[in-house]
Amino acid sequence: MEWISQMFGQYGYFVLFFGLFAESLALPFPGELAMAIAGHMASLGTFQLTSIILVSYLGAITGTLVTYMLGRRLGTPFFEKYGKYFFLKPERLRQLTEWFGKYGDKLILVSYFVPGLRHFTGYVAGILKVRFGTLLLYNGIGGILWVMTYVTVGHIFGAKIEQLLHLITQYSFGAVVVLALLAGLAVLARKKKALLIQWLRARYVGLQKLFVRSAK
């Protein structure tokens, strides 16, 4: 935490932009902690809150767009062979590809809040050739929600940043799991729509007959 504060003192907003940009490329940088510290420094008058949010947002989404273009241009064979140099090993690539197949493009929307996912979302979205407009929409919404969450935590709570970041990570992951389960149920309901309607109709008819008998 101390070294980040020192970097802010030396390089200011550039730390946020290039740090979050690098993190989107799967390079090691504590993005959430940096945003929270910057938010805390804004409460002390060192930085401007709106500037922190804007710079963080631009750094995060720009990095994801770059990785998307790389994934789209280079394709699966390249990353299966050289992905380890991008920290994207073949087994991780297969796992993320399965997740996209299971949950769809909306996975981009929640990826910022899932540790180990946001770093590779752009690469995999590009490899799978997700529509650019879809990426812009979901990446834009997810990015601003992620930035606002961590900057606001730092701005409001200051000294208790580290404990709060731990709680947010826990609950955000839980929220993602719940959303994934709901999405799975929605897909299942869509596939089994006819059977579901038939089952509901049978239950309705049964209740109706029971009601008529009890009325007599």
Side-chain angles (χ1 to χ4, degrees):
M1 193 166 164
E2 213 172 295
W3 68 271
I4 295 182
S5 300
Q6 290 174 354
M7 287 186 70
F8 277 130
Q10 290 182 338
Y11 304 109
Y13 296 109
F14 289 107
V15 175
L16 282 173
F17 181 84
F18 289 108
L20 293 173
F21 179 85
E23 189 183 28
S24 296
L25 300 178
L27 296 174
F29 181 80
E32 291 99 338
L33 183 59
M35 288 188 290
I37 291 173
H40 177 51
M41 294 176 78
S43 70
L44 301 175
T46 307
F47 291 140
Q48 291 185 345
L49 187 62
T50 51
S51 297
I52 288 170
I53 293 171
L54 179 62
V55 171
S56 300
Y57 178 66
L58 289 175
I61 65 169
T62 302
T64 303
L65 291 176
V66 168
T67 57
Y68 169 82
M69 296 306 296
L70 287 172
R72 192 177 183 94
R73 184 173 292 268
L74 299 174
T76 303
F78 176 88
F79 283 94
E80 284 182 343
K81 189 173 182 180
Y82 301 107
K84 60 184 178 181
Y85 298 110
F86 297 81
F87 305 99
L88 186 58
K89 295 181 179 179
E91 56 268 24
R92 179 173 284 175
L93 176 59
R94 282 193 291 272
Q95 182 186 45
L96 295 178
T97 302
E98 287 174 3
W99 286 5
F100 267 90
K102 189 174 183 180
Y103 304 114
D105 299 340
K106 293 181 178 64
L107 188 65
I108 300 168
L109 187 64
V110 299
S111 63
Y112 279 99
F113 290 93
V114 183
L117 176 58
R118 69 173 173 274
H119 310 87
F120 307 104
T121 301
Y123 290 117
V124 180
I127 290 169
L128 297 177
K129 291 183 169 47
V130 171
R131 288 179 62 245
F132 186 66
T134 301
L135 178 81
L136 281 179
L137 176 64
Y138 291 149
N139 185 46
I141 296 173
I144 194 61
L145 291 174
W146 182 61
V147 169
M148 290 287 291
T149 298
Y150 287 98
V151 172
T152 302
V153 164
H155 190 260
I156 296 175
F157 298 101
K160 296 183 178 179
I161 289 173
E162 291 189 358
Q163 298 96 308
L164 287 164
L165 291 184
H166 179 67
L167 287 173
I168 289 174
T169 301
Q170 282 187 321
Y171 285 109
S172 63
F173 181 75
V176 169
V177 171
V178 171
L179 287 173
L181 288 172
L182 290 175
L185 289 173
V187 171
L188 182 64
R190 188 180 300 173
K191 288 182 177 179
K192 305 293 184 182
K193 185 177 179 180
L195 290 174
L196 183 62
I197 292 174
Q198 186 180 357
W199 183 84
L200 289 172
R201 188 175 293 163
R203 299 289 79 73
Y204 173 76
V205 171
L207 288 172
Q208 193 177 40
K209 288 180 179 179
L210 181 64
F211 178 77
V212 171
R213 283 200 298 268
S214 62
K216 289 179 181 180

